[in-house]
Amino acid sequence: MLWAAVLVVAALSDAQAQLTAQTSIAPELRECYIDPMLVNRNNLPPMTISILIDIIRKIEDNPNVNMDLRQLSALLLHTYRQDGVEFHRPETTLVSSSMVLPFAPTFHSFHRHRLLLTRLIPSNLQVLANNTVNSILKCTLHHMLSTTVDARLRGDESSCNQLSQYRALRSGRSPRSISDDVEIIDKSVLKSTGKNGQMNHFNPNDDVEFTSYDGVKSARQLLGDSQCPLLGGAVFSQWGAISAGHLIAGVAAGAQPQQVPVLELAKGSVLNYNNVQQTVTSLFPATLSGDLAEAVLIQGTDRGSSAISIGTAGNWNSTQPPRHYMLHSRTNVEMTDPEIRGDIDGFVLGSAVPSALGTFSTMRLSQYLDMFYSARNGVFNPVLRACNRRDLIQQYITSTNLASETFAFAAALDTNMPLRGTIIGGLEQLVNSAVNNFQSYTSNNLNDMSCVTTEAVSVDFRLRTNLYIVLDSMWEYNAVYPAISYLVDAIEVGKYGSSITVLNAFNGNAVVNTTFSPAEFHSNYTLAAHQNMLTGVNLLTTLTNIRVMMQARLGDESLVNYVGGNSTVVLFLLNSGPVQNNEQVFEQARLLNETVPDLRLIFATSTNQFDNLWNLVRDMHNDIRQVALSPGGINVEIAMSGIVERIQSGEV
Ligand SMILES: *[C@@H]1O[C@H](CO)[C@@H](O)[C@H](O)[C@H]1NC(C)=O
Ligand SMILES: *[C@@H]1O[C@H](CO)[C@@H](O)[C@H](O)[C@H]1NC(C)=O
Ligand SMILES: *[C@@H]1O[C@H](CO)[C@@H](O)[C@H](O)[C@H]1NC(C)=O
Ligand SMILES: *[C@@H]1O[C@H](CO)[C@@H](O)[C@H](O)[C@H]1NC(C)=O
Ligand SMILES: *[C@@H]1O[C@H](CO)[C@@H](O)[C@H](O)[C@H]1NC(C)=O
Ligand SMILES: *[C@@H]1O[C@H](CO)[C@@H](O)[C@H](O)[C@H]1NC(C)=O
């Protein structure tokens, strides 16, 4: 193939080829499980589709990475995806952590993943170089792309279902009809299990470390410990959580369509079924058939079911920022809701990629995803939008194809995946049950926001605001970070959207420099960065320094995008009060207003400071607001929506 010949090797390294398909954690991903800074997910950008697109853009913009959509989508999988990584409690604390990393890809999703990388989506044994993105973004991508279930008991299970109400409120969708119920956990059982030796619980307070050895052998993580296990590899979108690995796999498989002989997938084994089709189309096992086959094989053997259950609901435990996706059930987790969506979106985008490339041959992967996950335009056509998923299923997926492809892939996967039983007949019936249940589940239970609602709740222009947040370190990080994170999403910080800068209210120095990258904002505005901020609010110093900084930027042609032109908003987020305001402060505000055209000051304060601040703003009745921010981002959308309106009001 032509593209293979022009492959630029500078950014590639084949020394690490396909280590993500091996049965131990790939060397370059190990630091994600070792380095305490990287292990703590709170230090990684949130799991959202816009962050995923942002990181992909950074890779595309890397001068050493010179590849097209086809190559990049495959290499992202080969470099960063490793499905099925699970924690394994070591049998003894004597095992030094420098010798053993208590994680390995042992969850069932690994087997399909391995076939995908080695047989279905080849990459000429290449991966992206280790330094293509920094460690924070590398680990973020790894967790976004890699499907796994972490069933360790955490201790917060009683609040598993807590946020469903906010989700419903936000997206205006109708309530779910099934499987929203979470078993109530009995705290006394949790407390005693550590001692009775039967359940060999991992200490819920320790995320990674292990504390005690109680002599019970456990070959494998004890599945089912948590009533609401965490699903890895899910990313937030307005149209439901999506398993990003499945999405990218669909694009990669569709961009490089292949018919793969089933015998090739079952290499070295005798296929148990002779009435299956001879080949599979890689797009199917990369997406829908992959998960359907897992459900068939696991539910068929583990539970001896003749009806295969498809779909497991879940929710993010906080909407701002979304980092942990909790499933509402611990059984039948082979084809969860995010996987269903990732599979459908991946299948649709994979099917549509040849014609999209025909329209726009140099289309980048980031552009393709950005168009699909947009409120209005879609991929060159409003039909091809995530909000239209239900209709797209009808348009792109035919049951008979899906059933025969799934049957063939299930037969192949059966020879690759260790199961707790041997299927000796009836595989085809199980496959048909899975396909039927997939169809009824997607039409009855996947109630994601429709296009009509999407258009009603979104603005019809792309925001381009330079937002400067002047931050008072007296806020609790836990309360103010979700609020800023909400603003970053709302104003669409991004390469073609708005920018964000976080300044210290003590002196106007940068906490996070101006950036158009939401991933960079989240990487830098961490708890540690917040705690390092100087304490106190000084309007005079702050306004003076902001003016000097903006003046310098205006003088620098290359930075013209950073200030001026489009709207510039300086938002003070203050938790201390009352702050000092006087003639000199007013004079600085006036000068700033003169320096930067269209600049607006907005004050959001935890106490009423109207009398104190009214003379500094343009519209005193709207630009001074009181906000109540709660830890964990609870109700942040309600608290901040007025501020977002003020920011947007400068746009039109
Ligand atoms: C990849 O890069 C990280 C960070 O620079 C480094 O710690 C790690 O050792 C590298 N991994 C390999 C396998 O070279
Ligand atoms: C912001 O940028 C300036 C110069 O561009 C640099 O001196 C400063 O260290 C940066 N601050 C942060 C927090 O990155
Ligand atoms: C984020 O932090 C890194 C490392 O400290 C620094 O190089 C970079 O300039 C910072 N980015 C922003 C936008 O502040
Ligand atoms: C302002 O926004 C428009 C699009 O709305 C863009 O074309 C232009 O480059 C922006 N100007 C500046 C100075 O940011
Ligand atoms: C800022 O300048 C505009 C005119 O450019 C004026 O209408 C507004 O009142 C000024 N605001 C303040 C706070 O000085
Ligand atoms: C969400 O759950 C994770 C995992 O239990 C926990 O670390 C995190 O603090 C929770 N976040 C919120 C906002 O409750």
Side-chain angles (χ1 to χ4, degrees):
M1 267 181 251
L2 187 62
W3 65 264
V6 296
L7 205 70
V8 175
V9 187
L12 306 174
S13 89
D14 41 24
Q16 303 297 326
Q18 296 190 348
L19 287 169
T20 44
Q22 309 291 312
T23 54
S24 58
I25 295 184
E28 297 190 351
L29 298 177
R30 286 180 193 162
E31 64 176 328
C32 306
Y33 296 89
I34 296 174
D35 182 338
M37 200 278 286
L38 298 171
V39 167
N40 181 350
R41 297 285 185 94
N42 292 325
N43 292 322
L44 305 183
M47 302 281 115
T48 68
I49 193 80
S50 51
I51 299 277
L52 174 65
I53 292 170
D54 186 43
I55 300 176
I56 292 175
R57 245 181 219 137
K58 281 183 190 296
I59 295 175
E60 291 167 338
D61 288 344
N62 184 321
N64 295 325
V65 179
N66 189 0
M67 48 185 84
D68 62 17
L69 177 150
R70 208 173 263 133
Q71 298 161 323
L72 185 63
S73 54
L75 287 197
L76 285 177
L77 299 174
H78 282 263
T79 313
Y80 304 110
R81 186 179 188 188
Q82 189 167 23
D83 279 356
V85 173
E86 287 181 297
F87 174 82
H88 292 269
R89 181 192 176 134
E91 296 204 347
T92 165
T93 48
L94 296 178
V95 177
S96 143
S97 60
S98 67
M99 287 168 63
V100 174
L101 177 60
F103 290 89
T106 42
F107 190 63
H108 69 76
S109 52
F110 177 72
H111 304 284
R112 173 267 272 273
H113 165 75
R114 190 177 198 181
L115 278 180
L116 200 68
L117 292 198
T118 55
R119 308 256 186 272
L120 296 160
I121 303 177
S123 77
N124 294 338
L125 300 180
Q126 283 166 320
V127 293
L128 291 159
N130 190 23
N131 62 358
T132 304
V133 289
N134 67 28
S135 299
I136 292 179
L137 301 188
K138 173 173 74 180
C139 296
T140 305
L141 261 185
H142 167 59
H143 292 305
M144 285 180 162
L145 296 177
S146 308
T147 300
T148 192
V149 172
D150 182 347
R152 275 179 284 170
L153 192 69
R154 300 179 303 274
D156 62 0
E157 278 75 11
S158 59
S159 63
C160 286
N161 210 6
Q162 199 180 302
L163 277 167
S164 309
Q165 48 179 320
Y166 302 117
R167 179 190 58 182
L169 180 122
R170 188 187 70 254
S171 53
R173 76 186 88 185
S174 51
R176 282 183 172 278
S177 51
I178 66 150
S179 71
D180 243 4
D181 49 324
V182 169
E183 284 176 60
I184 304 300
I185 219 162
D186 183 348
K187 284 268 163 61
S188 60
V189 173
L190 296 189
K191 284 197 189 99
S192 63
T193 46
K195 294 166 199 112
N196 67 19
Q198 282 180 353
M199 292 174 75
N200 190 23
H201 276 303
F202 175 70
N203 182 347
N205 297 321
D206 293 345
D207 217 26
V208 181
E209 301 96 320
F210 36 92
T211 45
S212 69
Y213 167 55
D214 57 11
V216 179
K217 281 207 170 194
S218 93
R220 190 166 183 280
Q221 171 185 30
L222 290 176
L223 254 186
D225 275 1
S226 176
Q227 300 289 320
C228 46
L230 299 176
L231 178 70
V235 302
F236 170 92
S237 88
Q238 278 185 274
W239 304 279
I242 302 154
S243 290
H246 304 233
L247 169 68
I248 304 297
V251 175
Q256 202 184 336
Q258 298 215 74
Q259 294 289 323
V260 182
V262 172
L263 283 176
E264 172 79 8
L265 297 175
K267 229 171 193 167
S269 302
V270 179
L271 216 54
N272 279 323
Y273 313 91
N274 38 26
N275 57 339
V276 300
Q277 61 187 48
Q278 302 285 299
T279 62
V280 291
T281 306
S282 56
L283 180 55
F284 282 89
T287 58
L288 294 159
S289 297
D291 285 319
L292 289 168
E294 286 176 352
V296 162
L297 295 176
I298 290 171
Q299 293 179 31
T301 53
D302 274 16
R303 286 183 274 290
S305 333
S306 57
I308 302 302
S309 164
I310 299 300
T312 308
N315 61 272
W316 299 97
N317 72 340
S318 93
T319 51
Q320 273 303 338
R323 283 199 171 98
H324 301 273
Y325 189 85
M326 299 181 171
L327 294 169
H328 290 178
S329 167
R330 57 182 170 168
T331 51
N332 301 337
V333 294
E334 297 78 30
M335 195 164 187
T336 59
D337 289 10
E339 291 174 279
I340 292 178
R341 294 192 194 92
D343 285 338
I344 295 169
D345 295 1
F347 190 88
V348 168
L349 287 180
S351 305
V353 75
S355 78
L357 285 172
T359 307
F360 180 19
S361 64
T362 55
M363 178 178 72
R364 291 167 149 206
L365 178 61
S366 61
Q367 291 172 314
Y368 195 35
L369 298 177
D370 196 25
M371 290 188 283
F372 186 72
Y373 294 100
S374 70
R376 283 160 198 271
N377 301 330
V379 183
F380 311 125
N381 175 354
V383 170
L384 214 47
R385 264 186 302 172
C387 60
N388 206 26
R389 192 179 287 127
R390 270 199 201 195
D391 290 346
L392 293 170
I393 296 173
Q394 304 307 321
Q395 194 182 328
Y396 283 87
I397 303 167
T398 53
S399 305
T400 43
N401 270 355
L402 183 57
S404 56
E405 291 275 351
T406 303
F407 184 28
F409 184 65
L413 189 60
D414 191 13
T415 66
N416 283 275
M417 181 157 75
L419 295 168
R420 293 190 220 167
T422 302
I423 296 181
I424 51 177
L427 184 66
E428 192 162 12
Q429 285 68 45
L430 296 178
V431 167
N432 289 336
S433 163
V435 170
N436 288 337
N437 288 339
F438 161 73
Q439 289 195 310
S440 58
Y441 190 84
T442 50
S443 36
N444 299 329
N445 298 95
L446 228 45
N447 299 315
D448 299 315
M449 186 161 57
S450 70
C451 292
V452 173
T453 312
T454 301
E455 284 163 29
V457 300
S458 65
V459 291
D460 63 356
F461 51 89
R462 188 149 225 168
L463 287 169
R464 284 170 193 276
T465 298
N466 303 300
L467 177 63
Y468 291 79
I469 292 180
V470 186
L471 184 62
D472 176 358
S473 67
M474 285 308 285
W475 287 108
E476 205 186 315
Y477 177 75
N478 199 7
V480 78
Y481 170 57
I484 301 179
S485 173
Y486 174 69
L487 291 178
V488 166
D489 285 351
I491 65 170
E492 298 186 69
V493 169
K495 189 174 174 189
Y496 304 105
S498 304
S499 72
I500 178 117
T501 313
V502 181
L503 307 171
N504 187 341
F506 177 74
N507 55 14
N509 282 354
V511 178
V512 179
N513 270 326
T514 302
T515 179
F516 286 87
S517 162
E520 194 173 354
F521 160 75
H522 286 284
S523 303
N524 286 32
Y525 181 49
T526 55
L527 175 63
H530 184 86
Q531 287 171 338
N532 279 337
M533 285 172 64
L534 294 169
T535 310
V537 176
N538 186 325
L539 290 183
L540 182 59
T541 323
T542 304
L543 287 171
T544 308
N545 286 343
I546 292 176
R547 181 175 56 79
V548 170
M549 172 182 74
M550 293 207 179
Q551 227 153 11
R553 286 190 175 176
L554 278 172
D556 184 344
E557 282 286 308
S558 67
L559 287 176
V560 75
N561 264 321
Y562 283 77
V563 63
N566 297 318
S567 81
T568 298
V569 173
V570 177
L571 169 66
F572 284 81
L573 269 178
L574 304 180
N575 193 26
S576 330
V579 296
Q580 193 182 32
N581 184 8
N582 55 29
E583 268 304 304
Q584 290 166 290
V585 172
F586 176 74
E587 178 62 8
Q588 283 304 323
R590 198 188 59 77
L591 286 172
L592 181 59
N593 192 31
E594 272 177 9
T595 309
V596 185
D598 285 329
L599 175 131
R600 265 167 339 118
L601 294 186
I602 301 176
F603 288 88
T605 57
S606 57
T607 54
N608 185 346
Q609 299 206 45
F610 180 84
D611 291 344
N612 197 20
L613 300 169
W614 65 270
N615 68 336
L616 300 178
V617 300
R618 210 174 277 187
D619 175 352
M620 62 174 134
H621 298 297
N622 289 304
D623 292 342
I624 301 175
R625 295 184 168 254
Q626 221 176 315
V627 288
L629 302 180
S630 329
I634 293 169
N635 285 337
V636 67
E637 292 153 17
I638 296 165
M640 296 303 287
S641 63
I643 310 276
V644 170
E645 263 166 47
R646 284 317 289 159
I647 294 173
Q648 288 175 347
S649 70
E651 288 278 337
V652 275

